[in-house]
Amino acid sequence: MSRVYIGNLDPHVGQDELMHACSKFAMPASVWIARNPGGFAFVEFSDTRAAEVVVAGMQDALLGQQRVKAELAKNKGKNAAPAGNSAALSLAAPVDAPRSQRHRAVLRNLPPAYECETRPPRSSLPPAASPPSSGTRPPGYPPAGVPARRGTR
C-alpha cells in the first residue's frame, strides 16, 4: 500500500469528492480526511505506481475553492502492514456504492494460497423461503390449537 498526502485541502471537501477526484487517475483503496485541525488528507492506493500517477495528476489541482498539493506520504501510517509484508489484502467497495454497502476488510499474514470469497449484496440474494402452511408445524412443536407448554419449576 502506498499513501498520498493531500495538503491545502478546502475544509468543505468531503471524502466522496476527494475519492472521485483521485479516481480520475487511479482507484483509491481508502481516504482519510483530517478534521481537527483540517486542511489535509491521506489517500491509500494498492501500489506505488498508482500513487505516483495520482501525485502527478493532483499536484496544484483545484479541489473545492483551493489548489491542493500532492506528494507521496513520508510514513506508512498506523494501519500499514509491517515492513516486508506483501501479503496484505485490502478490499474496498466502489465509490458509487451506497454508504450502507461500503466496507473495507484488511487481511494480513495470510498464506499465498489463501482464497478470498465475498458475499453478494443483499439485493442479489434469493428471496427467503415462505413460511410453512398453517396446517404444518415444525418438529417439536405441539399441534395447532394446543398451547405450548412452558417449562416447569
Side-chain angles (χ1 to χ4, degrees):
M1 292 294 245
S2 292
R3 294 179 355 136
V4 173
Y5 166 82
I6 305 290
N8 196 36
L9 188 64
D10 184 332
H12 301 296
V13 170
Q15 188 173 3
D16 292 338
E17 187 176 353
L18 180 56
M19 189 171 265
H20 177 71
C22 290
S23 67
K24 292 176 184 175
F25 307 102
M27 184 53 70
S30 68
V31 173
W32 178 83
I33 297 178
R35 292 293 175 206
N36 190 16
F40 68 96
F42 288 100
V43 183
E44 272 188 326
F45 295 91
S46 59
D47 64 352
T48 305
R49 180 69 186 129
E52 290 169 349
V53 170
V54 171
V55 167
M58 291 289 291
Q59 186 63 35
D60 206 37
L62 185 63
L63 197 55
Q65 300 297 316
Q66 296 177 192
R67 295 213 173 266
V68 297
K69 84 174 190 177
E71 58 188 53
L72 290 175
K74 304 282 190 258
N75 64 20
K76 301 287 185 191
K78 68 177 185 178
N79 293 329
N85 181 6
S86 61
L89 172 66
S90 177
L91 304 172
V95 176
D96 58 349
R99 181 171 287 284
S100 63
Q101 292 181 1
R102 285 187 225 161
H103 303 285
R104 178 178 157 199
V106 178
L107 307 174
R108 294 189 173 120
N109 301 324
L110 295 175
Y114 186 82
E115 292 184 25
C116 181
E117 190 174 308
T118 59
R119 189 173 67 177
R122 287 182 180 247
S123 60
S124 65
L125 292 176
S130 59
S133 64
S134 60
T136 61
R137 306 263 319 221
Y141 280 80
V146 177
R149 192 173 128 195
R150 298 187 189 258
T152 57
R153 292 186 178 208

